[in-house]
Amino acid sequence: MMSAAGGGGGGGGSSASVSQQQQEQQSVLDWKFSQVFGERAAGEEVQEVDIISAIEFDKSGEHLATGDRGGRVVLFERTESREQRARRELERADSLGPRHPEYRYSTEFQSHEPEFDYLKSLEIEEKINKIRWCQTANGARFLLSTNDKTIKLWKVSEKKLKNVSNLNLDPTLRLGNGNLTSSNPVLGQRGFTPRLSMNGGAVPQPPLIGNDFDFPPGGIPSLHLPLVVWSNETALVARCRRVYANAHAYHINSVSNNSDCETYISADDLRINLWNLEVSDQSFNIVDIKPVNMEDLTEVITSAEFHPTHCNMLAYSSSKGSIRLIDMRQSALCDRHSKLFEESEPLGTRSFFTEIIASISDIKFARGGRYILSRDYMTLKLWDVNMEAAPVATFRVHEYLRPKLCDLYENDSIFDKFECCLSGDGERVATGSYSNVFRVFGAMPGSEEASTLEASKTPNRRLMPTPARPGSRVTTPARGRLGGSESPGSDMNGGVYDFTSKLLHLAWHPTSNVIACAASNSLYMYYA
């Protein structure tokens, strides 16, 4: 219907379409390398504990946090403060364009340690599964970090350093042989007379004081207590304020803050719990899909996210490819969903891998909560919360891997969980892939943008953009809208698929076109 309407305009219609295509070409972002942290040298072996497992920007974009498999959290901050940037932008307004954000290492701390559950004889890894920034208070930054079982609330603040001053020993008063001389009238000029010990070292000799010695009235003026004073130097200190433990029988896969800044949810395979940030020994179970008989289990929870503005609404995804939107005002235990977003599989297309590749690994609310972005193994999908029948846009990420699903199943790569992210304005979405590449798609109606970039200092080194072929558009029957484009050719890396190099974690700056992505132990940042 859309193509018929576009083709009936004669020459004027073709010129209008050409101008529209030119405008779209101009709107495609040109991504460039910005920074890298923890770059490994050629042939350098990466330790398992150094592999990054979580990335998160705070709401302002001033700070970035990463977690690794060793249980550490590393914080980065922008190189310039807001006041400095405002002044420099005014100075460069007439000559240069705005500068992209750059970051520097701030601090790091050990968030989790390996543990052992003696009741279940189960080792609990220290790997950081999720990091979420909380509301800033009194200049201190708060964040939640979790491994498989335990969630912790951390406070990171600047503390002034203490120095010891007013010492009794003056380091400038030294004898020729390097011994300290004292002005103490008790010790006199003899001070501590060195003598040799058994091993040849000098042993201080105590001073000789006669029995008839009288202390002067008011004490000895040269002896005084050292003073501890605050210096002007500051250092970032991380302190654990709360530990939320013993609430999940299964592995925690999601943590999400509420817009009320007082509560958050944590989700494992079968349950979602609601917490108050100030109460660490009590939580409320709001979703429980565990059947009476575990043999009847057909799906598990894979991700959960609070609505960005409505504190009573949240969404969670399942291994069957469905997304449920629930309202906590309906009942204390949200067994029934308000809306169910699920795309029906066409008849005759089911196979052994259908349910595996339909499992959703990550969801994000988009554009103020009007849309939901989901990532399954093959595609990115954008859902309108007012339309449950089908997604309004589908972006084919791994379509070139469909002939290789058997090989992916054999090496367990088909179970990899890729995250997704989107720009602050919701106009673009991004997700990772194999061979350390990530893809950026235009999410606006009619957009043909589909960029493929490699996580390296030369992001366009091997992956040159190719125009979309005819028939590669994905339209939604419910709306007839363009949803995305297929991967640029069935052979994305010249015929080489490196399934061991996978880009699972990435995050988009909340206000700028800056993407941070993790390639093994390295953190790469790109701007457009």
PDB file of all heavy atoms in Angstrom, residues 251-278:
ATOM      1  N   HIS A 251      19.405 -17.615  40.233  1.00  0.00           N
ATOM      2  CA  HIS A 251      20.364 -16.581  39.865  1.00  0.00           C
ATOM      3  C   HIS A 251      19.662 -15.272  39.508  1.00  0.00           C
ATOM      4  O   HIS A 251      18.722 -15.250  38.706  1.00  0.00           O
ATOM      5  CB  HIS A 251      21.220 -17.049  38.686  1.00  0.00           C
ATOM      6  CG  HIS A 251      22.173 -18.146  39.065  1.00  0.00           C
ATOM      7  ND1 HIS A 251      23.019 -18.744  38.163  1.00  0.00           N
ATOM      8  CD2 HIS A 251      22.416 -18.749  40.258  1.00  0.00           C
ATOM      9  CE1 HIS A 251      23.743 -19.669  38.775  1.00  0.00           C
ATOM     10  NE2 HIS A 251      23.386 -19.690  40.046  1.00  0.00           N
ATOM     11  N   ILE A 252      20.152 -14.192  40.066  1.00  0.00           N
ATOM     12  CA  ILE A 252      19.604 -12.862  39.781  1.00  0.00           C
ATOM     13  C   ILE A 252      20.050 -12.429  38.384  1.00  0.00           C
ATOM     14  O   ILE A 252      21.237 -12.460  38.064  1.00  0.00           O
ATOM     15  CB  ILE A 252      20.063 -11.840  40.831  1.00  0.00           C
ATOM     16  CG1 ILE A 252      19.582 -12.250  42.225  1.00  0.00           C
ATOM     17  CG2 ILE A 252      19.565 -10.450  40.490  1.00  0.00           C
ATOM     18  CD1 ILE A 252      20.140 -11.376  43.349  1.00  0.00           C
ATOM     19  N   ASN A 253      19.094 -12.031  37.555  1.00  0.00           N
ATOM     20  CA  ASN A 253      19.425 -11.587  36.197  1.00  0.00           C
ATOM     21  C   ASN A 253      19.143 -10.106  35.961  1.00  0.00           C
ATOM     22  O   ASN A 253      19.615  -9.561  34.968  1.00  0.00           O
ATOM     23  CB  ASN A 253      18.691 -12.428  35.149  1.00  0.00           C
ATOM     24  CG  ASN A 253      17.181 -12.441  35.363  1.00  0.00           C
ATOM     25  OD1 ASN A 253      16.545 -11.406  35.544  1.00  0.00           O
ATOM     26  ND2 ASN A 253      16.591 -13.646  35.349  1.00  0.00           N
ATOM     27  N   SER A 254      18.376  -9.460  36.865  1.00  0.00           N
ATOM     28  CA  SER A 254      18.011  -8.061  36.621  1.00  0.00           C
ATOM     29  C   SER A 254      17.870  -7.318  37.942  1.00  0.00           C
ATOM     30  O   SER A 254      17.428  -7.883  38.946  1.00  0.00           O
ATOM     31  CB  SER A 254      16.686  -7.949  35.848  1.00  0.00           C
ATOM     32  OG  SER A 254      16.778  -8.573  34.592  1.00  0.00           O
ATOM     33  N   VAL A 255      18.229  -6.044  37.892  1.00  0.00           N
ATOM     34  CA  VAL A 255      17.974  -5.095  38.972  1.00  0.00           C
ATOM     35  C   VAL A 255      17.530  -3.799  38.310  1.00  0.00           C
ATOM     36  O   VAL A 255      18.148  -3.355  37.340  1.00  0.00           O
ATOM     37  CB  VAL A 255      19.225  -4.859  39.845  1.00  0.00           C
ATOM     38  CG1 VAL A 255      18.980  -3.741  40.838  1.00  0.00           C
ATOM     39  CG2 VAL A 255      19.614  -6.127  40.582  1.00  0.00           C
ATOM     40  N   SER A 256      16.464  -3.184  38.818  1.00  0.00           N
ATOM     41  CA  SER A 256      15.940  -1.968  38.193  1.00  0.00           C
ATOM     42  C   SER A 256      15.427  -1.020  39.266  1.00  0.00           C
ATOM     43  O   SER A 256      14.667  -1.428  40.154  1.00  0.00           O
ATOM     44  CB  SER A 256      14.818  -2.309  37.207  1.00  0.00           C
ATOM     45  OG  SER A 256      14.291  -1.145  36.613  1.00  0.00           O
ATOM     46  N   ASN A 257      15.844   0.246  39.173  1.00  0.00           N
ATOM     47  CA  ASN A 257      15.404   1.263  40.121  1.00  0.00           C
ATOM     48  C   ASN A 257      14.021   1.785  39.760  1.00  0.00           C
ATOM     49  O   ASN A 257      13.675   1.894  38.575  1.00  0.00           O
ATOM     50  CB  ASN A 257      16.383   2.437  40.147  1.00  0.00           C
ATOM     51  CG  ASN A 257      17.727   2.036  40.702  1.00  0.00           C
ATOM     52  OD1 ASN A 257      17.803   1.259  41.650  1.00  0.00           O
ATOM     53  ND2 ASN A 257      18.791   2.541  40.115  1.00  0.00           N
ATOM     54  N   ASN A 258      13.259   2.148  40.772  1.00  0.00           N
ATOM     55  CA  ASN A 258      11.949   2.745  40.567  1.00  0.00           C
ATOM     56  C   ASN A 258      12.087   4.260  40.439  1.00  0.00           C
ATOM     57  O   ASN A 258      13.025   4.868  40.954  1.00  0.00           O
ATOM     58  CB  ASN A 258      11.030   2.393  41.738  1.00  0.00           C
ATOM     59  CG  ASN A 258       9.570   2.569  41.382  1.00  0.00           C
ATOM     60  OD1 ASN A 258       9.229   3.171  40.363  1.00  0.00           O
ATOM     61  ND2 ASN A 258       8.690   2.063  42.223  1.00  0.00           N
ATOM     62  N   SER A 259      11.110   4.865  39.777  1.00  0.00           N
ATOM     63  CA  SER A 259      11.130   6.317  39.612  1.00  0.00           C
ATOM     64  C   SER A 259      10.837   7.057  40.902  1.00  0.00           C
ATOM     65  O   SER A 259      11.071   8.270  40.984  1.00  0.00           O
ATOM     66  CB  SER A 259      10.125   6.743  38.535  1.00  0.00           C
ATOM     67  OG  SER A 259       8.813   6.318  38.885  1.00  0.00           O
ATOM     68  N   ASP A 260      10.339   6.358  41.938  1.00  0.00           N
ATOM     69  CA  ASP A 260      10.094   7.024  43.221  1.00  0.00           C
ATOM     70  C   ASP A 260      11.369   7.193  44.041  1.00  0.00           C
ATOM     71  O   ASP A 260      11.350   7.816  45.114  1.00  0.00           O
ATOM     72  CB  ASP A 260       9.046   6.257  44.038  1.00  0.00           C
ATOM     73  CG  ASP A 260       9.504   4.834  44.384  1.00  0.00           C
ATOM     74  OD1 ASP A 260      10.663   4.483  44.104  1.00  0.00           O
ATOM     75  OD2 ASP A 260       8.686   4.073  44.938  1.00  0.00           O
ATOM     76  N   CYS A 261      12.500   6.635  43.536  1.00  0.00           N
ATOM     77  CA  CYS A 261      13.821   6.759  44.180  1.00  0.00           C
ATOM     78  C   CYS A 261      13.853   6.137  45.571  1.00  0.00           C
ATOM     79  O   CYS A 261      14.774   6.418  46.352  1.00  0.00           O
ATOM     80  CB  CYS A 261      14.268   8.220  44.254  1.00  0.00           C
ATOM     81  SG  CYS A 261      14.363   9.048  42.658  1.00  0.00           S
ATOM     82  N   GLU A 262      12.883   5.308  45.886  1.00  0.00           N
ATOM     83  CA  GLU A 262      12.847   4.659  47.195  1.00  0.00           C
ATOM     84  C   GLU A 262      12.884   3.140  47.103  1.00  0.00           C
ATOM     85  O   GLU A 262      13.321   2.480  48.043  1.00  0.00           O
ATOM     86  CB  GLU A 262      11.589   5.077  47.966  1.00  0.00           C
ATOM     87  CG  GLU A 262      11.537   6.547  48.345  1.00  0.00           C
ATOM     88  CD  GLU A 262      10.288   6.890  49.124  1.00  0.00           C
ATOM     89  OE1 GLU A 262       9.453   5.983  49.323  1.00  0.00           O
ATOM     90  OE2 GLU A 262      10.135   8.049  49.535  1.00  0.00           O
ATOM     91  N   THR A 263      12.425   2.590  45.998  1.00  0.00           N
ATOM     92  CA  THR A 263      12.329   1.142  45.862  1.00  0.00           C
ATOM     93  C   THR A 263      13.025   0.686  44.585  1.00  0.00           C
ATOM     94  O   THR A 263      13.342   1.480  43.699  1.00  0.00           O
ATOM     95  CB  THR A 263      10.856   0.697  45.830  1.00  0.00           C
ATOM     96  OG1 THR A 263      10.178   1.363  44.748  1.00  0.00           O
ATOM     97  CG2 THR A 263      10.162   1.032  47.144  1.00  0.00           C
ATOM     98  N   TYR A 264      13.245  -0.617  44.515  1.00  0.00           N
ATOM     99  CA  TYR A 264      13.787  -1.228  43.300  1.00  0.00           C
ATOM    100  C   TYR A 264      13.338  -2.684  43.262  1.00  0.00           C
ATOM    101  O   TYR A 264      12.857  -3.241  44.262  1.00  0.00           O
ATOM    102  CB  TYR A 264      15.317  -1.122  43.264  1.00  0.00           C
ATOM    103  CG  TYR A 264      16.051  -2.030  44.218  1.00  0.00           C
ATOM    104  CD1 TYR A 264      16.488  -3.290  43.812  1.00  0.00           C
ATOM    105  CD2 TYR A 264      16.323  -1.642  45.534  1.00  0.00           C
ATOM    106  CE1 TYR A 264      17.164  -4.137  44.683  1.00  0.00           C
ATOM    107  CE2 TYR A 264      16.998  -2.479  46.404  1.00  0.00           C
ATOM    108  CZ  TYR A 264      17.420  -3.722  45.966  1.00  0.00           C
ATOM    109  OH  TYR A 264      18.080  -4.556  46.835  1.00  0.00           O
ATOM    110  N   ILE A 265      13.470  -3.293  42.099  1.00  0.00           N
ATOM    111  CA  ILE A 265      13.113  -4.698  41.934  1.00  0.00           C
ATOM    112  C   ILE A 265      14.360  -5.498  41.579  1.00  0.00           C
ATOM    113  O   ILE A 265      15.313  -4.986  40.989  1.00  0.00           O
ATOM    114  CB  ILE A 265      12.034  -4.911  40.850  1.00  0.00           C
ATOM    115  CG1 ILE A 265      12.486  -4.305  39.510  1.00  0.00           C
ATOM    116  CG2 ILE A 265      10.700  -4.382  41.286  1.00  0.00           C
ATOM    117  CD1 ILE A 265      11.582  -4.664  38.350  1.00  0.00           C
ATOM    118  N   SER A 266      14.333  -6.756  41.971  1.00  0.00           N
ATOM    119  CA  SER A 266      15.358  -7.718  41.565  1.00  0.00           C
ATOM    120  C   SER A 266      14.640  -8.962  41.060  1.00  0.00           C
ATOM    121  O   SER A 266      13.633  -9.394  41.639  1.00  0.00           O
ATOM    122  CB  SER A 266      16.276  -8.067  42.737  1.00  0.00           C
ATOM    123  OG  SER A 266      15.535  -8.604  43.819  1.00  0.00           O
ATOM    124  N   ALA A 267      15.156  -9.527  39.975  1.00  0.00           N
ATOM    125  CA  ALA A 267      14.484 -10.653  39.327  1.00  0.00           C
ATOM    126  C   ALA A 267      15.458 -11.803  39.156  1.00  0.00           C
ATOM    127  O   ALA A 267      16.624 -11.604  38.809  1.00  0.00           O
ATOM    128  CB  ALA A 267      13.919 -10.242  37.968  1.00  0.00           C
ATOM    129  N   ASP A 268      14.959 -13.015  39.425  1.00  0.00           N
ATOM    130  CA  ASP A 268      15.701 -14.221  39.079  1.00  0.00           C
ATOM    131  C   ASP A 268      14.875 -15.021  38.077  1.00  0.00           C
ATOM    132  O   ASP A 268      13.949 -14.485  37.448  1.00  0.00           O
ATOM    133  CB  ASP A 268      16.063 -15.029  40.328  1.00  0.00           C
ATOM    134  CG  ASP A 268      14.834 -15.515  41.098  1.00  0.00           C
ATOM    135  OD1 ASP A 268      13.738 -15.563  40.507  1.00  0.00           O
ATOM    136  OD2 ASP A 268      14.965 -15.848  42.296  1.00  0.00           O
ATOM    137  N   ASP A 269      15.174 -16.283  37.927  1.00  0.00           N
ATOM    138  CA  ASP A 269      14.515 -17.072  36.886  1.00  0.00           C
ATOM    139  C   ASP A 269      13.014 -17.234  37.103  1.00  0.00           C
ATOM    140  O   ASP A 269      12.261 -17.343  36.126  1.00  0.00           O
ATOM    141  CB  ASP A 269      15.160 -18.457  36.804  1.00  0.00           C
ATOM    142  CG  ASP A 269      16.603 -18.378  36.342  1.00  0.00           C
ATOM    143  OD1 ASP A 269      16.955 -17.384  35.688  1.00  0.00           O
ATOM    144  OD2 ASP A 269      17.383 -19.305  36.643  1.00  0.00           O
ATOM    145  N   LEU A 270      12.566 -17.228  38.360  1.00  0.00           N
ATOM    146  CA  LEU A 270      11.163 -17.536  38.632  1.00  0.00           C
ATOM    147  C   LEU A 270      10.440 -16.483  39.452  1.00  0.00           C
ATOM    148  O   LEU A 270       9.217 -16.528  39.545  1.00  0.00           O
ATOM    149  CB  LEU A 270      11.047 -18.886  39.359  1.00  0.00           C
ATOM    150  CG  LEU A 270      11.558 -20.110  38.592  1.00  0.00           C
ATOM    151  CD1 LEU A 270      11.427 -21.360  39.429  1.00  0.00           C
ATOM    152  CD2 LEU A 270      10.823 -20.273  37.272  1.00  0.00           C
ATOM    153  N   ARG A 271      11.159 -15.537  40.053  1.00  0.00           N
ATOM    154  CA  ARG A 271      10.495 -14.577  40.936  1.00  0.00           C
ATOM    155  C   ARG A 271      11.045 -13.172  40.726  1.00  0.00           C
ATOM    156  O   ARG A 271      12.191 -12.987  40.321  1.00  0.00           O
ATOM    157  CB  ARG A 271      10.673 -14.981  42.399  1.00  0.00           C
ATOM    158  CG  ARG A 271       9.988 -16.280  42.792  1.00  0.00           C
ATOM    159  CD  ARG A 271      10.116 -16.516  44.294  1.00  0.00           C
ATOM    160  NE  ARG A 271       9.423 -17.739  44.707  1.00  0.00           N
ATOM    161  CZ  ARG A 271      10.012 -18.915  44.839  1.00  0.00           C
ATOM    162  NH1 ARG A 271      11.303 -19.030  44.601  1.00  0.00           N
ATOM    163  NH2 ARG A 271       9.316 -19.977  45.220  1.00  0.00           N
ATOM    164  N   ILE A 272      10.193 -12.192  41.056  1.00  0.00           N
ATOM    165  CA  ILE A 272      10.589 -10.784  41.082  1.00  0.00           C
ATOM    166  C   ILE A 272      10.254 -10.246  42.471  1.00  0.00           C
ATOM    167  O   ILE A 272       9.115 -10.385  42.937  1.00  0.00           O
ATOM    168  CB  ILE A 272       9.863  -9.965  40.003  1.00  0.00           C
ATOM    169  CG1 ILE A 272      10.203 -10.480  38.605  1.00  0.00           C
ATOM    170  CG2 ILE A 272      10.246  -8.483  40.109  1.00  0.00           C
ATOM    171  CD1 ILE A 272       9.485  -9.740  37.482  1.00  0.00           C
ATOM    172  N   ASN A 273      11.230  -9.652  43.125  1.00  0.00           N
ATOM    173  CA  ASN A 273      11.060  -9.108  44.468  1.00  0.00           C
ATOM    174  C   ASN A 273      11.122  -7.590  44.445  1.00  0.00           C
ATOM    175  O   ASN A 273      11.888  -7.001  43.666  1.00  0.00           O
ATOM    176  CB  ASN A 273      12.128  -9.641  45.422  1.00  0.00           C
ATOM    177  CG  ASN A 273      11.991 -11.131  45.681  1.00  0.00           C
ATOM    178  OD1 ASN A 273      10.892 -11.691  45.561  1.00  0.00           O
ATOM    179  ND2 ASN A 273      13.084 -11.778  46.030  1.00  0.00           N
ATOM    180  N   LEU A 274      10.339  -6.973  45.318  1.00  0.00           N
ATOM    181  CA  LEU A 274      10.328  -5.522  45.473  1.00  0.00           C
ATOM    182  C   LEU A 274      11.015  -5.168  46.785  1.00  0.00           C
ATOM    183  O   LEU A 274      10.657  -5.685  47.846  1.00  0.00           O
ATOM    184  CB  LEU A 274       8.886  -4.999  45.460  1.00  0.00           C
ATOM    185  CG  LEU A 274       8.704  -3.490  45.687  1.00  0.00           C
ATOM    186  CD1 LEU A 274       9.265  -2.686  44.522  1.00  0.00           C
ATOM    187  CD2 LEU A 274       7.222  -3.160  45.894  1.00  0.00           C
ATOM    188  N   TRP A 275      11.992  -4.259  46.708  1.00  0.00           N
ATOM    189  CA  TRP A 275      12.786  -3.854  47.872  1.00  0.00           C
ATOM    190  C   TRP A 275      12.608  -2.376  48.159  1.00  0.00           C
ATOM    191  O   TRP A 275      12.339  -1.589  47.252  1.00  0.00           O
ATOM    192  CB  TRP A 275      14.277  -4.110  47.643  1.00  0.00           C
ATOM    193  CG  TRP A 275      14.691  -5.509  47.390  1.00  0.00           C
ATOM    194  CD1 TRP A 275      14.644  -6.171  46.189  1.00  0.00           C
ATOM    195  CD2 TRP A 275      15.241  -6.434  48.326  1.00  0.00           C
ATOM    196  NE1 TRP A 275      15.138  -7.446  46.323  1.00  0.00           N
ATOM    197  CE2 TRP A 275      15.515  -7.634  47.634  1.00  0.00           C
ATOM    198  CE3 TRP A 275      15.540  -6.368  49.690  1.00  0.00           C
ATOM    199  CZ2 TRP A 275      16.064  -8.748  48.253  1.00  0.00           C
ATOM    200  CZ3 TRP A 275      16.095  -7.470  50.312  1.00  0.00           C
ATOM    201  CH2 TRP A 275      16.350  -8.650  49.606  1.00  0.00           C
ATOM    202  N   ASN A 276      12.796  -2.025  49.417  1.00  0.00           N
ATOM    203  CA  ASN A 276      13.007  -0.634  49.800  1.00  0.00           C
ATOM    204  C   ASN A 276      14.498  -0.446  50.031  1.00  0.00           C
ATOM    205  O   ASN A 276      15.147  -1.272  50.675  1.00  0.00           O
ATOM    206  CB  ASN A 276      12.224  -0.290  51.072  1.00  0.00           C
ATOM    207  CG  ASN A 276      12.257   1.199  51.379  1.00  0.00           C
ATOM    208  OD1 ASN A 276      13.311   1.779  51.624  1.00  0.00           O
ATOM    209  ND2 ASN A 276      11.086   1.822  51.378  1.00  0.00           N
ATOM    210  N   LEU A 277      15.044   0.642  49.508  1.00  0.00           N
ATOM    211  CA  LEU A 277      16.484   0.853  49.601  1.00  0.00           C
ATOM    212  C   LEU A 277      16.970   0.936  51.043  1.00  0.00           C
ATOM    213  O   LEU A 277      18.129   0.613  51.340  1.00  0.00           O
ATOM    214  CB  LEU A 277      16.877   2.132  48.849  1.00  0.00           C
ATOM    215  CG  LEU A 277      16.849   2.047  47.324  1.00  0.00           C
ATOM    216  CD1 LEU A 277      16.985   3.429  46.712  1.00  0.00           C
ATOM    217  CD2 LEU A 277      17.953   1.131  46.810  1.00  0.00           C
ATOM    218  N   GLU A 278      16.085   1.363  51.951  1.00  0.00           N
ATOM    219  CA  GLU A 278      16.487   1.526  53.340  1.00  0.00           C
ATOM    220  C   GLU A 278      16.298   0.262  54.176  1.00  0.00           C
ATOM    221  O   GLU A 278      16.724   0.217  55.329  1.00  0.00           O
ATOM    222  CB  GLU A 278      15.688   2.676  53.982  1.00  0.00           C
ATOM    223  CG  GLU A 278      15.890   4.022  53.303  1.00  0.00           C
ATOM    224  CD  GLU A 278      17.324   4.499  53.405  1.00  0.00           C
ATOM    225  OE1 GLU A 278      17.974   4.187  54.427  1.00  0.00           O
ATOM    226  OE2 GLU A 278      17.797   5.172  52.479  1.00  0.00           O
TER     227      GLU A 278
END
